Amino acid sequence: MKIRIEETTYEGTAAEIMDRLRLGTFDPTEFPDTESYIWQLRANFIRMTGRDCILPDNGVEAQARAMFAELAKIGALEVLEDG
């Protein structure tokens, strides 16, 4: 997978990219793992947009892909490759 957020391009699996974003937060220890970070992003997304954001139960990779897809729909990032 390859995504662009503003001027930065990230490449790897969706879970790897999400983990890099988690580690780049102001306090990465606030979220002990990638899944907790994804669920926090989901809560912020819902609060910010008023739209629901359904995440699958079948693992962090699927959750990260779903979260990136929802963020792309509102223009928060661009999915360059989804493979």
Side-chain angles (χ1 to χ4, degrees), residues 22-23 25-34 36-37 40 44:
R22 177 182 72 88
L23 294 172
T25 61
F26 291 107
D27 183 9
T29 61
E30 184 177 352
F31 308 105
D33 56 33
T34 305
S36 64
Y37 179 67
Q40 179 60 37
N44 289 343

Side-chain angles (χ1 to χ4, degrees), residues 1-11 17 21 67-82:
M1 175 168 237
K2 190 176 195 180
I3 66 167
R4 182 178 17 236
I5 302 173
E6 296 177 358
E7 301 300 317
T8 305
T9 300
Y10 299 90
E11 197 167 352
I17 295 169
L21 295 173
M67 191 75 246
F68 286 142
E70 290 299 321
L71 290 167
K73 287 179 187 175
I74 63 166
L77 59 83
E78 181 182 1
V79 176
L80 302 172
E81 292 178 17
D82 189 13

